């Protein structure tokens, strides 16, 4: 506190009835409207299965049109049928695009196609979730440089290209959009019993990329935040657990809520980050890890 003002009563009588920032923020709305994605289009990479398609369902349940992008030729049939059902129920558009997020012309083309759909739908392109990622367990002493590069190419460069074309589309239409980068708690900690130096480093890169892009794109009203999950049971972790079942015991030792995560645990966090409720949030990391990083 500045000297001389210790005993002064700070008066708020100079504040106007409605502060100017309240007139500026899209969050100045009824709370239920802060979590709606109605009349918006969002693109989700890694949207063929696992976390990505669950997040796509959350977006549709929040009223948004959704494009799912993945390297796989087709999305998992059962999951895709679930998404289509939600979309049909609410008169929403959803479409699957096969795309390798490390192939820049391919990424640009998909964003162009989605932009055309937004015109047809008369709904702004307002959201992107960069969820595609790969994992590899390999002791660092034997890690081939080419594999290390492959992990970075998908998890860091692919995530960057996704964010770049998302921001270009938003800027071109003057839309104040939200980009969510799926990182990991492994960007903050080195997982016990899991030799994944490339994956962990790539996720730390995603977290720092988030801050850097937020710094550059805030001037266009484009927000960039990362969402860092803890252990989630998906195809990615299932492969690790099947190869080494004893890993689950190590993971559970840090599970303060007594369980691993489910893809559904990330539905509300992603809708919050995409919606206007998080209007004042950019360059931040939202860690959702069942308490894993809170205890040693
Ligand atoms: N499962 C976990 O415990 C966990 C924890 C923290 C973070 N994450 C992150 O969540 C995201 C989703 O993981 P998941 O568990 O659902 O895994 P997943 O393997 O089921 O899904 C990842 C998806 O990314 C796609 N993909 C891979 N390379 C691609 C490329 N070059 N172009 C386009 N798509 C590509 C895959 O085909 C797959 O559908 C990843 O970024 C992952 O790192 C997962």
């Amino acid at each position: 506190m500045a000297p001389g003002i210790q005993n002064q009563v700070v008066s708020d009588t100079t504040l106007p009835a409605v502060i100017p920032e309240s007139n500026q923020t899209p969050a100045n709305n009824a709370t239920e409207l802060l979590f709606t994605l109605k009349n918006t289009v969002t693109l989700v990479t890694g949207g063929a299965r696992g976390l990505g398609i669950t997040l796509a369902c959350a977006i549709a349940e929040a009223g948004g049109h959704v494009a799912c992008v993945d390297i796989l030729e087709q999305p998992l049939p059962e999951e895709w049928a679930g998404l289509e059902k939600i979309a049909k129920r609410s008169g929403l558009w959803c479409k699957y695009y096969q795309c390798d997020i490390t192939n820049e012309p391919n990424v640009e083309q998909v964003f162009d196609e989605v932009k055309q759909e937004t015109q047809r739908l008369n709904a702004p392109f307002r959201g992107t979730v960069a969820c595609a990622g790969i994992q590899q367990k390999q002791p660092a002493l034997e890690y081939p440089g080419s594999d290390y590069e492959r992990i970075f190419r998908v998890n860091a460069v692919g995530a960057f290209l996704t964010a770049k074309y998302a921001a270009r589309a938003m800027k071109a239409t003057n839309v104040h959009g939200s980009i969510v980068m799926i990182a990991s708690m492994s960007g903050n900690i080195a997982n016990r019993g899991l030799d994944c130096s490339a994956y962990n480093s790539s996720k730390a890169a995603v977290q720092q990329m988030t801050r850097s892009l937020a710094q550059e794109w805030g001037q266009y009203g484009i927000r960039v935040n990362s969402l860092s999950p803890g252990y989630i049971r998906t195809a990615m972790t299932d492969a690790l657990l099947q190869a080494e079942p004893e890993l689950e015991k190590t993971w559970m030792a840090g599970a303060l809520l007594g369980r691993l995560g489910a893809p559904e645990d990330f539905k509300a966090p992603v809708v919050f980050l995409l919606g206007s409720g998080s209007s004042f949030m950019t360059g931040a990391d939202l860690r959702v890890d069942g308490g894993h990083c809170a205890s040693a």
Side-chain angles (χ1 to χ4, degrees):
M1 194 180 282
I5 64 164
Q6 285 91 334
N7 296 321
Q8 281 180 20
V9 175
V10 179
S11 166
D12 64 357
T13 50
T14 53
L15 275 179
V18 178
I19 61 169
E21 288 79 3
S22 294
N23 284 328
Q24 288 165 11
T25 177
N28 189 359
N29 223 327
T31 305
E32 70 202 52
L33 298 177
L34 303 183
F35 297 92
T36 180
L37 299 176
K38 270 192 189 131
N39 198 38
T40 64
V41 178
T42 299
L43 182 149
V44 181
T45 71
R49 67 179 195 192
L51 183 60
I53 200 155
T54 305
L55 300 183
C57 289
I59 290 160
E61 282 170 347
H65 304 288
V66 65
C68 286
V69 174
D70 201 289
I71 198 169
L72 299 181
E73 200 176 320
Q74 297 289 340
L76 290 193
E78 208 177 307
E79 280 79 354
W80 186 256
L83 174 59
E84 280 189 324
K85 198 169 156 196
I86 298 164
K88 197 169 168 200
R89 199 171 61 206
S90 306
L92 297 166
W93 169 84
C94 69
K95 190 168 173 183
Y96 183 76
Y97 297 85
Q98 187 185 17
C99 168
D100 178 353
I101 56 158
T102 69
N103 178 332
E104 187 159 1
N106 205 186
V107 175
E108 186 172 14
Q109 188 194 334
V110 165
F111 272 94
D112 280 347
E113 288 177 29
V114 173
K115 269 191 289 181
Q116 282 167 23
E117 291 289 348
T118 64
Q119 282 157 13
R120 188 184 61 76
L121 293 162
N122 198 21
F125 177 72
R126 190 166 279 165
T128 290
V129 183
C131 185
I134 54 172
Q135 162 70 298
Q136 185 184 31
K137 188 171 181 293
Q138 180 82 271
L141 288 174
E142 279 110 52
Y143 219 126
S146 55
D147 272 7
Y148 218 96
E149 275 176 11
R150 186 174 62 88
I151 299 282
F152 264 78
R153 180 113 197 106
V154 177
N155 293 0
V157 180
F160 169 69
L161 293 176
T162 305
K164 171 181 160 179
Y165 286 97
R168 280 190 178 204
M170 291 166 186
K171 182 172 176 278
T173 46
N174 202 20
V175 165
H176 289 188
S178 170
I179 300 173
V180 181
M181 312 290 279
I182 302 298
S184 170
M185 69 172 179
S186 304
N188 304 96
I189 52 111
N191 313 56
R192 277 204 192 158
L194 203 56
D195 298 337
C196 292
S197 58
Y199 178 82
N200 298 351
S201 311
S202 72
K203 291 299 184 177
V206 171
Q207 291 172 346
Q208 177 56 356
M209 188 189 301
T210 297
R211 291 183 280 269
S212 306
L213 300 181
Q215 189 279 131
E216 287 195 38
W217 298 340
Q219 62 183 310
Y220 309 121
I222 299 169
R223 301 184 294 113
V224 191
N225 293 288
S226 55
L227 173 58
S228 286
Y231 295 117
I232 323 168
R233 209 179 284 276
T234 63
M236 182 181 273
T237 41
D238 216 41
L240 290 168
L241 289 172
Q242 275 184 22
E244 288 178 55
E246 66 281 7
L247 261 183
E248 189 159 346
K249 223 170 133 192
T250 314
W251 294 3
M252 285 303 288
L256 299 192
L257 297 173
R259 67 171 175 89
L260 303 182
E264 292 78 9
D265 287 316
F266 302 88
K267 288 172 67 173
V270 86
V271 169
F272 164 66
L273 289 173
L274 289 170
S276 59
S278 58
S279 286
F280 197 50
M281 191 170 167
T282 195
D285 181 52
L286 179 58
R287 199 178 66 224
V288 180
D289 66 351
H292 195 98
C293 293
S295 72

